[in-house]
């Protein structure tokens, strides 16, 4: 089954948005979703329940990415 991998990257506010990637993120949340729309929804609840929510907008920001996955998870 093809699908997508949704990534939510948490980066320090000192990291430029264009440089925020998995290597520079302080936290990375990943989940498989069925469509590209799934990459843009649902993660808000995960973040709201986590401890990192306190610093968002002040010391950190979120960046989302969506990657197509092939059958077999690659």
């Amino acid at each position: 089954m093809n699908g997508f991998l949704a990534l939510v990257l948490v980066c320090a506010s000192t990291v430029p948005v264009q440089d925020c990637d998995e290597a520079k993120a302080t936290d990375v949340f990943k989940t498989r979703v069925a469509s590209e729309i799934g990459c843009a929804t649902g993660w808000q609840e995960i973040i709201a329940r986590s401890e990192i929510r306190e610093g968002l907008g002040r010391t950190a920001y979120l960046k989302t990415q969506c990657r197509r996955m092939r059958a077999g998870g690659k």
Side-chain angles (χ1 to χ4, degrees):
M1 176 179 140
N2 290 344
F4 295 85
L5 182 64
L7 292 96
V8 178
L9 309 171
V10 181
C11 287
S13 57
T14 56
V15 176
V17 174
Q18 67 272 15
D19 294 338
C20 179
D21 58 19
E22 287 183 79
K24 292 183 183 75
T26 56
D27 284 297
V28 178
F29 298 89
K30 298 178 184 180
T31 188
R32 289 183 184 195
V33 295
S35 68
E36 289 177 290
I37 293 173
C39 290
T41 60
W43 57 264
Q44 296 92 340
E45 183 178 347
I46 295 167
I47 298 301
R49 291 181 184 202
S50 73
E51 293 181 14
I52 65 164
R53 72 183 180 277
E54 298 299 325
L56 291 178
R58 292 184 307 227
T59 60
Y61 64 91
L62 301 178
K63 180 177 179 179
T64 59
Q65 295 182 339
C66 195
R67 296 185 187 156
R68 184 178 300 275
M69 297 180 63
R70 293 185 216 124
K74 297 184 178 193

